[in-house]
Amino acid sequence: MTITISTEHRDARLIGTRDFLDAGTGNAKIQIYDNSGARPGNGLPTTCVLLTEIELDKPCGTVAGGLLTLTSSDTPLVQATGDALWARVVTANNTHAFDCDVSDPSGTGEIQLPNVTLYAGGTTVLVSGTLG
């Protein structure tokens, strides 16, 4: 049997996620990694190259209709050239929250950038970041 939950219950869970991300003195961040190695297990160390880090606003997003939509006004400098494959989201205290996929807007990644090919010295922005 499958458990189904109401939108209100889902919203409450996502508000808890948002509050967890925002807890601390800094801002939560999305760390964008390349495809140079296997994506590690959730929260484990990685050998992949960190391409850039996008600082989220505080609060880091809004919750409505069963979705947490992450928000960022940051336009970070890209640190290394490569193709973005996955992201690690860390809390305002810089602790691991979750790992997820990255894509451009035509893909299905939870984190979406204008283009997944990033170039050192360039910039990027968060197009979309949603959790359900």
Side-chain angles (χ1 to χ4, degrees), residues 29-70:
K29 296 174 186 69
I30 302 170
Q31 299 169 335
I32 307 294
Y33 288 92
D34 78 348
N35 59 355
S36 63
R39 179 171 154 181
N42 198 24
L44 294 175
T46 182
T47 59
C48 295
V49 175
L50 175 65
L51 300 175
T52 193
E53 187 173 77
I54 301 170
E55 186 174 272
L56 295 173
D57 297 336
K58 199 161 193 175
C60 67
T62 58
V63 175
L67 288 176
L68 167 57
T69 303
L70 300 174

Side-chain angles (χ1 to χ4, degrees), residues 1-2 7 25 37 59 68 80 90 92 95 97 116 119 123 126:
M1 180 173 271
T2 301
T7 300
T25 57
L68 167 57
V90 296
T95 59
V116 294
Y119 297 97
T123 60
L126 176 66

Side-chain angles (χ1 to χ4, degrees), residues 49-108:
V49 175
L50 175 65
L51 300 175
T52 193
E53 187 173 77
I54 301 170
E55 186 174 272
L56 295 173
D57 297 336
K58 199 161 193 175
C60 67
T62 58
V63 175
L67 288 176
L68 167 57
T69 303
L70 300 174
T71 57
S72 174
S73 51
D74 191 21
T75 307
L77 192 64
V78 176
Q79 301 164 9
T81 298
D83 291 329
L85 179 65
W86 65 280
R88 175 160 287 163
V89 178
V90 296
T91 69
N93 277 335
N94 205 36
T95 59
H96 175 262
F98 60 90
D99 294 345
C100 61
D101 292 334
V102 174
S103 72
D104 64 21
S106 67
T108 59

